[in-house]
mmCIF file of all heavy atoms in Angstrom:
data_model
loop_
_atom_site.group_PDB
_atom_site.id
_atom_site.type_symbol
_atom_site.label_atom_id
_atom_site.label_comp_id
_atom_site.label_asym_id
_atom_site.label_seq_id
_atom_site.Cartn_x
_atom_site.Cartn_y
_atom_site.Cartn_z
ATOM 1 N N MET A 1 4.816 59.002 49.355
ATOM 2 C CA MET A 1 5.260 57.678 49.307
ATOM 3 C C MET A 1 6.747 57.589 49.541
ATOM 4 O O MET A 1 7.537 56.988 48.842
ATOM 5 C CB MET A 1 4.939 57.081 47.960
ATOM 6 C CG MET A 1 3.520 56.882 47.707
ATOM 7 S SD MET A 1 3.021 56.235 46.066
ATOM 8 C CE MET A 1 4.035 54.725 46.043
ATOM 9 N N ASN A 2 7.228 58.206 50.558
ATOM 10 C CA ASN A 2 8.705 58.133 51.028
ATOM 11 C C ASN A 2 9.644 58.754 50.016
ATOM 12 O O ASN A 2 10.779 58.581 50.208
ATOM 13 C CB ASN A 2 9.127 56.719 51.371
ATOM 14 C CG ASN A 2 8.320 56.181 52.578
ATOM 15 O OD1 ASN A 2 7.947 56.877 53.411
ATOM 16 N ND2 ASN A 2 8.062 54.868 52.487
ATOM 17 N N TYR A 3 9.132 59.530 49.092
ATOM 18 C CA TYR A 3 10.011 60.337 48.187
ATOM 19 C C TYR A 3 9.853 61.751 48.516
ATOM 20 O O TYR A 3 8.784 62.279 48.854
ATOM 21 C CB TYR A 3 9.487 60.128 46.726
ATOM 22 C CG TYR A 3 9.788 58.573 46.220
ATOM 23 C CD1 TYR A 3 8.681 57.859 46.074
ATOM 24 C CD2 TYR A 3 10.963 58.201 45.905
ATOM 25 C CE1 TYR A 3 8.850 56.677 45.512
ATOM 26 C CE2 TYR A 3 11.144 56.916 45.562
ATOM 27 C CZ TYR A 3 10.030 56.080 45.251
ATOM 28 O OH TYR A 3 10.181 54.817 44.801
ATOM 29 N N GLN A 4 10.939 62.533 48.486
ATOM 30 C CA GLN A 4 10.824 63.934 48.557
ATOM 31 C C GLN A 4 10.617 64.584 47.147
ATOM 32 O O GLN A 4 11.352 64.381 46.302
ATOM 33 C CB GLN A 4 12.094 64.502 49.151
ATOM 34 C CG GLN A 4 12.034 66.011 49.274
ATOM 35 C CD GLN A 4 13.282 66.595 50.082
ATOM 36 O OE1 GLN A 4 14.124 65.803 50.557
ATOM 37 N NE2 GLN A 4 13.393 67.928 49.954
ATOM 38 N N SER A 5 9.477 65.130 47.005
ATOM 39 C CA SER A 5 9.033 65.542 45.801
ATOM 40 C C SER A 5 8.981 67.084 45.701
ATOM 41 O O SER A 5 8.744 67.663 46.864
ATOM 42 C CB SER A 5 7.538 65.033 45.403
ATOM 43 O OG SER A 5 7.537 63.638 45.347
ATOM 44 N N GLU A 6 9.103 67.759 44.661
ATOM 45 C CA GLU A 6 8.978 69.191 44.520
ATOM 46 C C GLU A 6 8.195 69.559 43.335
ATOM 47 O O GLU A 6 8.379 68.807 42.230
ATOM 48 C CB GLU A 6 10.330 69.848 44.568
ATOM 49 C CG GLU A 6 11.294 69.402 43.581
ATOM 50 C CD GLU A 6 12.626 69.984 43.805
ATOM 51 O OE1 GLU A 6 12.774 71.208 44.202
ATOM 52 O OE2 GLU A 6 13.642 69.403 43.538
ATOM 53 N N ILE A 7 7.369 70.423 43.359
ATOM 54 C CA ILE A 7 6.618 70.949 42.269
ATOM 55 C C ILE A 7 7.529 71.948 41.446
ATOM 56 O O ILE A 7 8.066 72.804 42.025
ATOM 57 C CB ILE A 7 5.319 71.669 42.648
ATOM 58 C CG1 ILE A 7 4.385 70.547 43.323
ATOM 59 C CG2 ILE A 7 4.559 72.280 41.571
ATOM 60 C CD1 ILE A 7 3.147 71.203 43.975
ATOM 61 N N VAL A 8 7.579 71.672 40.107
ATOM 62 C CA VAL A 8 8.404 72.475 39.280
ATOM 63 C C VAL A 8 7.631 73.092 38.066
ATOM 64 O O VAL A 8 6.554 72.568 37.770
ATOM 65 C CB VAL A 8 9.641 71.765 38.779
ATOM 66 C CG1 VAL A 8 10.574 71.307 39.945
ATOM 67 C CG2 VAL A 8 9.168 70.494 37.900
ATOM 68 N N THR A 9 8.222 74.104 37.597
ATOM 69 C CA THR A 9 7.547 74.734 36.399
ATOM 70 C C THR A 9 8.370 74.367 35.111
ATOM 71 O O THR A 9 9.516 74.614 35.201
ATOM 72 C CB THR A 9 7.459 76.210 36.505
ATOM 73 O OG1 THR A 9 6.740 76.493 37.633
ATOM 74 C CG2 THR A 9 6.738 76.916 35.370
ATOM 75 N N LEU A 10 7.699 73.662 34.247
ATOM 76 C CA LEU A 10 8.416 73.263 33.009
ATOM 77 C C LEU A 10 7.908 74.050 31.754
ATOM 78 O O LEU A 10 6.695 74.155 31.601
ATOM 79 C CB LEU A 10 8.215 71.796 32.758
ATOM 80 C CG LEU A 10 8.880 70.868 33.589
ATOM 81 C CD1 LEU A 10 8.730 69.396 33.156
ATOM 82 C CD2 LEU A 10 10.304 71.075 33.906
ATOM 83 N N HIS A 11 8.866 74.688 31.100
ATOM 84 C CA HIS A 11 8.495 75.458 29.939
ATOM 85 C C HIS A 11 9.165 74.724 28.695
ATOM 86 O O HIS A 11 10.031 73.855 28.836
ATOM 87 C CB HIS A 11 8.934 76.875 29.880
ATOM 88 C CG HIS A 11 8.396 77.698 31.073
ATOM 89 N ND1 HIS A 11 7.037 78.029 31.071
ATOM 90 C CD2 HIS A 11 8.848 78.084 32.252
ATOM 91 C CE1 HIS A 11 6.755 78.737 32.105
ATOM 92 N NE2 HIS A 11 7.816 78.787 32.969
ATOM 93 N N ASP A 12 8.693 75.151 27.540
ATOM 94 C CA ASP A 12 9.463 74.600 26.251
ATOM 95 C C ASP A 12 10.895 74.934 26.302
ATOM 96 O O ASP A 12 11.671 73.997 25.779
ATOM 97 C CB ASP A 12 8.669 75.115 25.026
ATOM 98 C CG ASP A 12 7.294 74.622 24.883
ATOM 99 O OD1 ASP A 12 7.017 73.504 25.412
ATOM 100 O OD2 ASP A 12 6.532 75.153 24.089
ATOM 101 N N THR A 13 11.186 76.037 26.821
ATOM 102 C CA THR A 13 12.701 76.347 26.857
ATOM 103 C C THR A 13 13.473 75.382 27.763
ATOM 104 O O THR A 13 14.662 75.013 27.493
ATOM 105 C CB THR A 13 12.934 77.762 27.287
ATOM 106 O OG1 THR A 13 12.352 77.939 28.592
ATOM 107 C CG2 THR A 13 12.362 78.792 26.333
ATOM 108 N N PHE A 14 12.847 74.831 28.802
ATOM 109 C CA PHE A 14 13.473 73.894 29.634
ATOM 110 C C PHE A 14 13.825 72.550 28.841
ATOM 111 O O PHE A 14 14.811 71.899 28.943
ATOM 112 C CB PHE A 14 12.671 73.582 30.884
ATOM 113 C CG PHE A 14 13.172 72.464 31.712
ATOM 114 C CD1 PHE A 14 14.310 72.665 32.586
ATOM 115 C CD2 PHE A 14 12.726 71.140 31.565
ATOM 116 C CE1 PHE A 14 14.823 71.620 33.452
ATOM 117 C CE2 PHE A 14 13.194 70.105 32.355
ATOM 118 C CZ PHE A 14 14.327 70.344 33.220
ATOM 119 N N ILE A 15 12.765 72.085 28.037
ATOM 120 C CA ILE A 15 13.013 70.957 27.272
ATOM 121 C C ILE A 15 13.991 71.101 26.248
ATOM 122 O O ILE A 15 14.802 70.188 26.011
ATOM 123 C CB ILE A 15 11.589 70.562 26.732
ATOM 124 C CG1 ILE A 15 10.590 70.110 27.884
ATOM 125 C CG2 ILE A 15 11.738 69.236 25.754
ATOM 126 C CD1 ILE A 15 9.123 69.905 27.431
ATOM 127 N N ASP A 16 13.975 72.286 25.550
ATOM 128 C CA ASP A 16 14.982 72.594 24.559
ATOM 129 C C ASP A 16 16.373 72.629 25.200
ATOM 130 O O ASP A 16 17.311 71.995 24.674
ATOM 131 C CB ASP A 16 14.721 73.922 23.928
ATOM 132 C CG ASP A 16 13.456 73.940 23.048
ATOM 133 O OD1 ASP A 16 13.121 72.853 22.655
ATOM 134 O OD2 ASP A 16 13.048 74.979 22.650
ATOM 135 N N GLU A 17 16.631 73.224 26.378
ATOM 136 C CA GLU A 17 17.915 73.191 27.041
ATOM 137 C C GLU A 17 18.297 71.820 27.492
ATOM 138 O O GLU A 17 19.523 71.488 27.492
ATOM 139 C CB GLU A 17 17.904 74.257 28.164
ATOM 140 C CG GLU A 17 17.795 75.622 27.754
ATOM 141 C CD GLU A 17 17.504 76.615 28.847
ATOM 142 O OE1 GLU A 17 17.380 76.157 30.103
ATOM 143 O OE2 GLU A 17 17.390 77.813 28.611
ATOM 144 N N MET A 18 17.363 70.991 27.867
ATOM 145 C CA MET A 18 17.640 69.604 28.297
ATOM 146 C C MET A 18 18.142 68.852 27.123
ATOM 147 O O MET A 18 19.133 68.135 27.308
ATOM 148 C CB MET A 18 16.313 68.978 28.921
ATOM 149 C CG MET A 18 16.354 67.647 29.320
ATOM 150 S SD MET A 18 14.840 66.955 29.758
ATOM 151 C CE MET A 18 13.868 66.927 28.305
ATOM 152 N N ILE A 19 17.509 68.965 26.025
ATOM 153 C CA ILE A 19 17.864 68.221 24.779
ATOM 154 C C ILE A 19 19.397 68.763 24.406
ATOM 155 O O ILE A 19 20.175 67.908 24.020
ATOM 156 C CB ILE A 19 16.943 68.433 23.555
ATOM 157 C CG1 ILE A 19 15.572 67.797 24.013
ATOM 158 C CG2 ILE A 19 17.450 67.748 22.336
ATOM 159 C CD1 ILE A 19 15.658 66.397 24.395
ATOM 160 N N ASP A 20 19.570 69.957 24.368
ATOM 161 C CA ASP A 20 20.961 70.565 24.074
ATOM 162 C C ASP A 20 21.944 69.944 24.991
ATOM 163 O O ASP A 20 22.940 69.556 24.562
ATOM 164 C CB ASP A 20 20.875 72.126 24.290
ATOM 165 C CG ASP A 20 20.149 72.784 23.064
ATOM 166 O OD1 ASP A 20 20.114 72.219 21.952
ATOM 167 O OD2 ASP A 20 19.752 73.875 23.302
ATOM 168 N N SER A 21 21.709 69.910 26.315
ATOM 169 C CA SER A 21 22.677 69.378 27.170
ATOM 170 C C SER A 21 22.841 67.863 27.008
ATOM 171 O O SER A 21 23.989 67.483 27.192
ATOM 172 C CB SER A 21 22.268 69.757 28.752
ATOM 173 O OG SER A 21 21.076 68.948 29.140
ATOM 174 N N CYS A 22 21.744 67.163 26.719
ATOM 175 C CA CYS A 22 22.035 65.703 26.525
ATOM 176 C C CYS A 22 22.728 65.477 25.195
ATOM 177 O O CYS A 22 23.365 64.383 25.015
ATOM 178 C CB CYS A 22 20.587 65.044 26.379
ATOM 179 S SG CYS A 22 19.838 65.067 28.022
ATOM 180 N N TYR A 23 22.755 66.363 24.261
ATOM 181 C CA TYR A 23 23.373 66.215 23.032
ATOM 182 C C TYR A 23 24.873 66.642 23.062
ATOM 183 O O TYR A 23 25.634 66.001 22.425
ATOM 184 C CB TYR A 23 22.664 67.118 21.914
ATOM 185 C CG TYR A 23 23.088 66.807 20.473
ATOM 186 C CD1 TYR A 23 22.447 65.664 19.889
ATOM 187 C CD2 TYR A 23 23.941 67.484 19.806
ATOM 188 C CE1 TYR A 23 22.788 65.390 18.579
ATOM 189 C CE2 TYR A 23 24.345 67.184 18.533
ATOM 190 C CZ TYR A 23 23.762 66.147 17.857
ATOM 191 O OH TYR A 23 24.101 65.878 16.538
ATOM 192 N N THR A 24 25.093 67.587 23.904
ATOM 193 C CA THR A 24 26.584 68.169 23.935
ATOM 194 C C THR A 24 27.333 67.664 25.220
ATOM 195 O O THR A 24 28.507 67.817 25.179
ATOM 196 C CB THR A 24 26.497 69.664 23.771
ATOM 197 O OG1 THR A 24 25.749 70.260 24.919
ATOM 198 C CG2 THR A 24 25.979 70.091 22.495
ATOM 199 N N VAL A 25 26.659 67.466 26.287
ATOM 200 C CA VAL A 25 27.267 67.149 27.582
ATOM 201 C C VAL A 25 26.887 65.640 27.926
ATOM 202 O O VAL A 25 25.857 65.114 27.400
ATOM 203 C CB VAL A 25 26.738 68.143 28.628
ATOM 204 C CG1 VAL A 25 27.468 67.947 30.048
ATOM 205 C CG2 VAL A 25 26.957 69.438 28.227
ATOM 206 N N ASP A 26 27.595 65.070 28.877
ATOM 207 C CA ASP A 26 27.250 63.705 29.156
ATOM 208 C C ASP A 26 26.157 63.698 30.156
ATOM 209 O O ASP A 26 26.274 63.319 31.335
ATOM 210 C CB ASP A 26 28.595 63.056 29.898
ATOM 211 C CG ASP A 26 28.447 61.582 30.116
ATOM 212 O OD1 ASP A 26 27.697 61.019 29.378
ATOM 213 O OD2 ASP A 26 29.269 61.039 30.851
ATOM 214 N N LYS A 27 24.962 64.011 29.724
ATOM 215 C CA LYS A 27 23.687 63.823 30.394
ATOM 216 C C LYS A 27 22.711 62.942 29.543
ATOM 217 O O LYS A 27 23.041 62.652 28.596
ATOM 218 C CB LYS A 27 23.067 65.208 30.700
ATOM 219 C CG LYS A 27 23.936 66.009 31.592
ATOM 220 C CD LYS A 27 23.147 67.305 32.060
ATOM 221 C CE LYS A 27 23.979 68.024 33.045
ATOM 222 N NZ LYS A 27 23.354 69.147 33.632
ATOM 223 N N TYR A 28 21.614 62.537 30.195
ATOM 224 C CA TYR A 28 20.604 61.743 29.476
ATOM 225 C C TYR A 28 19.178 62.158 29.715
ATOM 226 O O TYR A 28 18.918 62.740 30.767
ATOM 227 C CB TYR A 28 20.796 60.242 29.898
ATOM 228 C CG TYR A 28 20.328 59.970 31.333
ATOM 229 C CD1 TYR A 28 19.065 59.481 31.605
ATOM 230 C CD2 TYR A 28 21.257 60.190 32.403
ATOM 231 C CE1 TYR A 28 18.704 59.308 32.872
ATOM 232 C CE2 TYR A 28 20.838 59.990 33.709
ATOM 233 C CZ TYR A 28 19.571 59.541 33.960
ATOM 234 O OH TYR A 28 19.169 59.339 35.240
ATOM 235 N N VAL A 29 18.310 61.764 28.912
ATOM 236 C CA VAL A 29 16.875 61.833 29.031
ATOM 237 C C VAL A 29 16.257 60.665 28.482
ATOM 238 O O VAL A 29 16.623 60.140 27.457
ATOM 239 C CB VAL A 29 16.259 63.124 28.414
ATOM 240 C CG1 VAL A 29 16.564 63.042 26.930
ATOM 241 C CG2 VAL A 29 14.851 63.281 28.612
ATOM 242 N N ILE A 30 15.216 60.058 29.235
ATOM 243 C CA ILE A 30 14.537 58.912 28.845
ATOM 244 C C ILE A 30 13.082 59.187 28.933
ATOM 245 O O ILE A 30 12.527 59.715 29.986
ATOM 246 C CB ILE A 30 14.913 57.645 29.686
ATOM 247 C CG1 ILE A 30 16.406 57.314 29.662
ATOM 248 C CG2 ILE A 30 14.036 56.447 29.225
ATOM 249 C CD1 ILE A 30 16.814 56.310 30.623
ATOM 250 N N VAL A 31 12.345 58.896 27.914
ATOM 251 C CA VAL A 31 10.808 58.912 28.035
ATOM 252 C C VAL A 31 10.325 57.530 27.831
ATOM 253 O O VAL A 31 10.728 56.823 26.837
ATOM 254 C CB VAL A 31 10.235 59.890 26.842
ATOM 255 C CG1 VAL A 31 8.764 59.916 27.061
ATOM 256 C CG2 VAL A 31 10.905 61.285 26.947
ATOM 257 N N ARG A 32 9.428 57.073 28.698
ATOM 258 C CA ARG A 32 8.959 55.704 28.618
ATOM 259 C C ARG A 32 7.410 55.836 28.511
ATOM 260 O O ARG A 32 6.758 56.607 29.137
ATOM 261 C CB ARG A 32 9.228 54.914 29.892
ATOM 262 C CG ARG A 32 10.746 54.597 30.092
ATOM 263 C CD ARG A 32 10.929 53.898 31.387
ATOM 264 N NE ARG A 32 12.353 53.557 31.588
ATOM 265 C CZ ARG A 32 13.065 54.424 32.342
ATOM 266 N NH1 ARG A 32 12.709 55.501 32.891
ATOM 267 N NH2 ARG A 32 14.399 54.030 32.407
ATOM 268 N N ASN A 33 6.783 54.844 27.772
ATOM 269 C CA ASN A 33 5.283 54.759 27.845
ATOM 270 C C ASN A 33 5.100 53.675 28.966
ATOM 271 O O ASN A 33 5.888 53.247 29.714
ATOM 272 C CB ASN A 33 4.805 54.288 26.415
ATOM 273 C CG ASN A 33 5.001 52.924 26.072
ATOM 274 O OD1 ASN A 33 5.702 52.170 26.817
ATOM 275 N ND2 ASN A 33 4.518 52.503 24.968
ATOM 276 N N THR A 34 3.768 53.385 28.974
ATOM 277 C CA THR A 34 3.365 52.398 30.006
ATOM 278 C C THR A 34 3.681 50.967 29.759
ATOM 279 O O THR A 34 3.615 50.191 30.719
ATOM 280 C CB THR A 34 1.729 52.513 30.340
ATOM 281 O OG1 THR A 34 1.184 52.344 29.140
ATOM 282 C CG2 THR A 34 1.524 53.966 30.883
ATOM 283 N N GLY A 35 4.122 50.746 28.616
ATOM 284 C CA GLY A 35 4.584 49.363 28.225
ATOM 285 C C GLY A 35 6.084 49.234 28.195
ATOM 286 O O GLY A 35 6.725 49.815 28.990
ATOM 287 N N ARG A 36 6.543 48.580 27.239
ATOM 288 C CA ARG A 36 8.002 48.372 27.122
ATOM 289 C C ARG A 36 8.718 49.312 26.154
ATOM 290 O O ARG A 36 9.938 49.117 25.945
ATOM 291 C CB ARG A 36 8.319 46.920 26.839
ATOM 292 C CG ARG A 36 7.826 46.536 25.471
ATOM 293 C CD ARG A 36 8.205 45.152 25.162
ATOM 294 N NE ARG A 36 7.628 44.732 23.902
ATOM 295 C CZ ARG A 36 7.675 43.582 23.383
ATOM 296 N NH1 ARG A 36 8.031 42.610 24.115
ATOM 297 N NH2 ARG A 36 7.093 43.359 22.230
ATOM 298 N N CYS A 37 8.003 50.235 25.600
ATOM 299 C CA CYS A 37 8.636 51.177 24.638
ATOM 300 C C CYS A 37 9.298 52.403 25.376
ATOM 301 O O CYS A 37 8.727 52.781 26.483
ATOM 302 C CB CYS A 37 7.687 51.629 23.599
ATOM 303 S SG CYS A 37 6.944 50.326 22.752
ATOM 304 N N TRP A 38 10.308 52.880 24.852
ATOM 305 C CA TRP A 38 11.049 54.008 25.459
ATOM 306 C C TRP A 38 11.938 54.631 24.313
ATOM 307 O O TRP A 38 12.157 54.072 23.371
ATOM 308 C CB TRP A 38 11.952 53.580 26.558
ATOM 309 C CG TRP A 38 12.853 52.514 26.270
ATOM 310 C CD1 TRP A 38 12.597 51.193 26.683
ATOM 311 C CD2 TRP A 38 14.147 52.464 25.762
ATOM 312 N NE1 TRP A 38 13.726 50.325 26.308
ATOM 313 C CE2 TRP A 38 14.698 51.194 25.651
ATOM 314 C CE3 TRP A 38 15.040 53.543 25.237
ATOM 315 C CZ2 TRP A 38 15.867 50.851 25.172
ATOM 316 C CZ3 TRP A 38 16.257 53.148 24.681
ATOM 317 C CH2 TRP A 38 16.706 51.860 24.603
ATOM 318 N N ALA A 39 12.344 55.867 24.574
ATOM 319 C CA ALA A 39 13.319 56.657 23.782
ATOM 320 C C ALA A 39 14.350 57.345 24.752
ATOM 321 O O ALA A 39 13.938 57.793 25.748
ATOM 322 C CB ALA A 39 12.587 57.753 22.968
ATOM 323 N N LYS A 40 15.543 57.259 24.249
ATOM 324 C CA LYS A 40 16.669 57.768 25.232
ATOM 325 C C LYS A 40 17.673 58.626 24.326
ATOM 326 O O LYS A 40 17.971 58.232 23.215
ATOM 327 C CB LYS A 40 17.400 56.673 25.804
ATOM 328 C CG LYS A 40 18.571 56.999 26.614
ATOM 329 C CD LYS A 40 19.234 55.797 27.255
ATOM 330 C CE LYS A 40 19.907 54.787 26.180
ATOM 331 N NZ LYS A 40 20.550 53.690 26.729
ATOM 332 N N LEU A 41 18.094 59.723 24.837
ATOM 333 C CA LEU A 41 19.276 60.440 24.306
ATOM 334 C C LEU A 41 20.181 60.646 25.379
ATOM 335 O O LEU A 41 19.939 61.036 26.370
ATOM 336 C CB LEU A 41 18.645 61.873 23.868
ATOM 337 C CG LEU A 41 19.759 62.776 23.309
ATOM 338 C CD1 LEU A 41 20.380 62.234 22.122
ATOM 339 C CD2 LEU A 41 19.102 64.195 23.121
ATOM 340 N N HIS A 42 21.421 60.093 24.991
ATOM 341 C CA HIS A 42 22.518 60.153 25.882
ATOM 342 C C HIS A 42 23.801 60.606 25.159
ATOM 343 O O HIS A 42 24.267 59.728 24.299
ATOM 344 C CB HIS A 42 22.744 58.883 26.624
ATOM 345 C CG HIS A 42 23.881 58.840 27.506
ATOM 346 N ND1 HIS A 42 24.908 57.855 27.543
ATOM 347 C CD2 HIS A 42 24.300 59.643 28.518
ATOM 348 C CE1 HIS A 42 25.812 58.068 28.319
ATOM 349 N NE2 HIS A 42 25.485 59.186 29.061
ATOM 350 N N TYR A 43 24.276 61.742 25.283
ATOM 351 C CA TYR A 43 25.522 62.220 24.557
ATOM 352 C C TYR A 43 25.559 61.920 23.132
ATOM 353 O O TYR A 43 26.429 61.120 22.626
ATOM 354 C CB TYR A 43 26.802 61.654 25.334
ATOM 355 C CG TYR A 43 27.986 62.427 25.094
ATOM 356 C CD1 TYR A 43 27.984 63.823 25.319
ATOM 357 C CD2 TYR A 43 29.162 61.853 24.557
ATOM 358 C CE1 TYR A 43 29.138 64.495 25.159
ATOM 359 C CE2 TYR A 43 30.214 62.605 24.288
ATOM 360 C CZ TYR A 43 30.351 63.940 24.584
ATOM 361 O OH TYR A 43 31.391 64.672 24.331
ATOM 362 N N ARG A 44 24.577 62.431 22.489
ATOM 363 C CA ARG A 44 24.506 62.404 20.951
ATOM 364 C C ARG A 44 23.927 61.004 20.453
ATOM 365 O O ARG A 44 23.830 60.865 19.305
ATOM 366 C CB ARG A 44 25.631 62.730 20.206
ATOM 367 C CG ARG A 44 26.115 64.197 20.390
ATOM 368 C CD ARG A 44 27.368 64.472 19.445
ATOM 369 N NE ARG A 44 27.650 65.839 19.682
ATOM 370 C CZ ARG A 44 28.807 66.294 19.524
ATOM 371 N NH1 ARG A 44 29.792 65.607 19.088
ATOM 372 N NH2 ARG A 44 29.075 67.600 19.725
ATOM 373 N N LYS A 45 23.714 60.085 21.339
ATOM 374 C CA LYS A 45 23.253 58.760 20.904
ATOM 375 C C LYS A 45 21.792 58.670 21.160
ATOM 376 O O LYS A 45 21.353 58.618 22.299
ATOM 377 C CB LYS A 45 23.932 57.671 21.561
ATOM 378 C CG LYS A 45 25.464 57.500 21.234
ATOM 379 C CD LYS A 45 26.223 56.515 22.030
ATOM 380 C CE LYS A 45 25.497 55.179 22.068
ATOM 381 N NZ LYS A 45 26.416 54.260 22.881
#
């Protein structure tokens, strides 16, 4: 669909490192459901 996609391997360690980086560095993670609910972590917030 006009996007360049790549297949990646995600392990629990990737998610742990992602949370660590969003907590200590200026990065973010957002998880959305199919409705209007979401959760976001951005630099300790």
Side-chain angles (χ1 to χ4, degrees):
M1 293 179 55
N2 295 327
Y3 295 107
Q4 183 174 346
S5 302
E6 55 187 325
I7 295 172
V8 294
T9 304
L10 294 186
H11 298 288
D12 288 341
T13 55
F14 174 81
I15 297 171
D16 288 343
E17 291 170 0
M18 175 182 70
I19 298 302
D20 287 334
S21 70
C22 292
Y23 194 80
T24 58
V25 183
D26 192 18
K27 293 189 178 188
Y28 70 93
V29 60
I30 301 174
V31 180
R32 295 179 179 93
N33 73 355
T34 54
R36 64 180 179 190
C37 299
W38 50 264
K40 174 178 67 177
L41 176 62
H42 177 234
Y43 200 56
R44 294 188 180 153
K45 290 172 58 179

